[in-house]
Amino acid sequence: MPARLLIEGGVPLKGEVAASAAKNAALPALAAALLTPEPVTLTNVPDLGDIRTMLRLLQTLGAGVTRRGREATVTVDQVASDRAPYELVSTMRASVLVLGPLVARHGSARVALPGGCAIGVRPIDQHLKGLAALGAEIAIENGYVVARARRLVGAHIVTDLVTVTGTENLMMAAALAEGTTVIENAACEPEVGDLGALLTAMGARLHGVGTARIEIEGVRALHGAVHRIVPDRIEAGTLLVAGAITCGDVRVTDMVPAHVAAVLTKLAECGVEIEVGPSWVRARAGDRPRPADIVTSPFPGFPTDMQAQLMTLLGLADGQSKLTETIFENRYMHVAELARMGARISTEGPVAIVRGVTAYQGAPVMASDLRASAALVLAGVAGRGRTEVSRIYHLDRGYERLEDKLGALGARIERSP
Ligand code: EPZ
């Protein structure tokens, strides 16, 4: 029987817990090691399923990997293969992040097309359009993107929509291109900013990272670097909601409060008392949450990766809330499972109407994707009675032993063997 999380709900969570480093910053940072023959060391790599997949992928491309505790050093003194196999890419879409660095450094890449996932179709057309603008020849052969270029050449790229990994892929590609590249409508997520910091430490010339217009002066070669990854704002947000949904008092440390400003605003609207320090946030809730309306959007807007967690909180609100998911077309898979716990939520396309109930009842539920699984755990710690969350391999992709962190705050939660 695959592992499950067993939760006895109803305990107000209290205490302090530290955020881990961000999965969505660690993944592009690891891929960036492909850009140089010198060692790239990340000092605080989280122990996650997706990180292990990325390290395995890099090794198939020729990387040497050494790990010491949380430190990981990746050295690609030579690209041994330009092929990112379907077996790996199909388990983790972020594998597409090797495409830009491989073409830029090695002149060719064969990366399996990621295909869709539980939350949406998720095409990579903007990645390919940008690489073509930089002079790469792009073809789709037998389910693989084949990209070739003797040397990429700087270009003016305007993406049709804001794409996080698309921006990251093009930043890495342009770093070694001949001449200057401008990316307009670029993503401004903190993870993009963190990649910019690493690339700069590797000798790249970037301007405007963190804004919608990024300018990159290509250089001939990049060197190694040592980098500390930015804290995980989504994990931090999830832990704050855990405090709020159990009417508890939780302080999350080792985080960047500005990275969760939109989430804190919504929590305050729900009546959660929020206190902010230089690198911590405290959430206290004594009462039933108030309803609130949420529209997801690219940073600095409300993150889609926190939609399921806030929906779960609003499911207990004293009134009706409206959520609009604008980023992914199929990101309400958790609704049916929350309904098994007594939630009253209806959806129509991108809109969900949440009519709050006074309590969730414990029940066996099934995770469908990473953030949906976090939402089910939150419903479980808030609920009355016992909840069993299955398919938690989804959770382990992006949360570092969440049960240990919640347990440290007083939750009655354990992983079945
Ligand atoms: C990143 O995915 C994150 N993943 C996602 O986190 C996050 O939900 C998402 O950004 C949005 O914030 C990583 O960083 C590894 P997008 P990404 O390209 O880059 C469409 C999690 O839970 N699009 O910004 O794949 C796309 O379909 C994960 O940790 C195109 O149409 O997302 C989506 O509707 C889930 N063509 C929208 O744009 C493209 O070429 C935004 O996607 C690219 C994207």
Side-chain angles (χ1 to χ4, degrees), residues 162-173:
V162 174
T163 160
V164 176
T165 51
T167 301
E168 293 166 344
N169 238 332
L170 298 175
M171 278 165 70
M172 292 191 275

Side-chain angles (χ1 to χ4, degrees), residues 23-24 122-126 163-165 305 327-328 371:
K23 164 183 82 82
N24 291 346
R122 302 184 73 178
I124 57 166
D125 56 308
Q126 298 302 308
T163 160
V164 176
T165 51
D305 295 348
I327 308 286
F328 293 109
R371 307 304 170 183

Side-chain angles (χ1 to χ4, degrees), residues 62-390:
V65 173
T66 55
R67 300 203 68 171
R68 242 170 355 134
R70 288 190 168 279
E71 204 174 271
T73 298
V74 178
T75 312
V76 190
D77 48 21
Q78 207 172 9
V79 174
S81 161
D82 67 356
R83 188 168 175 277
Y86 180 69
E87 304 72 60
L88 285 175
V89 177
S90 57
T91 65
M92 182 187 71
R93 304 179 47 74
S95 310
V96 73
L97 285 163
V98 301
L99 182 59
L102 273 175
V103 184
R105 160 101 186 272
H106 183 67
S108 71
R110 288 172 298 146
V111 176
L113 272 171
C117 84
I119 64 176
V121 178
R122 302 184 73 178
I124 57 166
D125 56 308
Q126 298 302 308
H127 301 235
L128 304 184
K129 184 184 129 182
L131 284 174
L134 292 169
E137 278 164 40
I138 308 273
I140 308 294
E141 293 170 10
N142 309 105
Y144 279 72
V145 176
V146 179
R148 289 196 181 85
R150 206 190 302 278
R151 181 164 184 210
L152 296 171
V153 180
H156 193 112
I157 302 167
V158 184
T159 57
D160 300 332
L161 41 76
V162 174
T163 160
V164 176
T165 51
T167 301
E168 293 166 344
N169 238 332
L170 298 175
M171 278 165 70
M172 292 191 275
L176 286 177
E178 193 179 324
T180 300
T181 297
V182 174
I183 306 174
E184 305 258 17
N185 201 21
C188 307
E189 269 65 8
E191 296 76 27
V192 174
D194 200 50
L195 176 65
L198 170 60
L199 291 173
T200 303
M202 294 169 69
R205 297 197 192 130
L206 304 111
H207 314 280
V209 179
T211 74
R213 187 181 188 282
I214 301 176
E215 198 172 307
I216 304 135
E217 287 169 55
V219 295
R220 265 257 160 232
L222 293 169
H223 51 73
V226 177
H227 179 71
R228 185 174 173 78
I229 300 162
V230 75
D232 196 321
R233 62 192 167 102
I234 305 299
E235 184 211 27
T238 305
L239 294 165
L240 291 169
V241 174
I245 203 170
T246 58
C247 296
D249 179 353
V250 165
R251 181 204 296 249
V252 179
T253 61
D254 297 359
M255 61 174 291
V256 182
H259 291 173
V260 288
V263 176
L264 300 183
T265 304
K266 283 298 159 189
L267 287 175
E269 258 181 58
C270 294
V272 180
E273 223 180 292
I274 297 291
E275 221 183 308
V276 175
S279 61
W280 56 267
V281 173
R282 182 178 180 186
R284 260 180 299 183
D287 238 331
R288 220 177 146 189
R290 289 198 292 265
D293 295 343
I294 291 177
V295 179
T296 64
S297 62
F299 190 89
F302 187 91
T304 172
D305 295 348
M306 281 299 299
Q307 176 257 100
Q309 299 92 314
L310 253 290
M311 178 187 273
T312 309
L313 178 69
L314 293 168
L316 295 174
D318 188 7
Q320 179 166 310
S321 308
K322 178 181 173 190
L323 284 87
T324 309
E325 173 56 63
T326 70
I327 308 286
F328 293 109
E329 65 275 20
N330 189 33
R331 203 163 204 183
Y332 287 141
M333 301 285 279
H334 41 284
V335 168
E337 295 303 304
L338 289 174
R340 295 175 45 70
M341 302 182 74
R344 294 190 307 159
I345 305 169
S346 57
T347 63
E348 181 125 8
V351 173
I353 301 296
V354 183
R355 295 190 303 283
V357 297
T358 50
Y360 292 130
Q361 303 133 26
V365 288
M366 195 183 289
S368 53
D369 59 80
L370 169 58
R371 307 304 170 183
S373 47
L376 298 179
V377 172
L378 293 176
V381 291
R384 292 192 181 140
R386 185 181 169 88
T387 293
E388 287 186 23
V389 184
S390 57

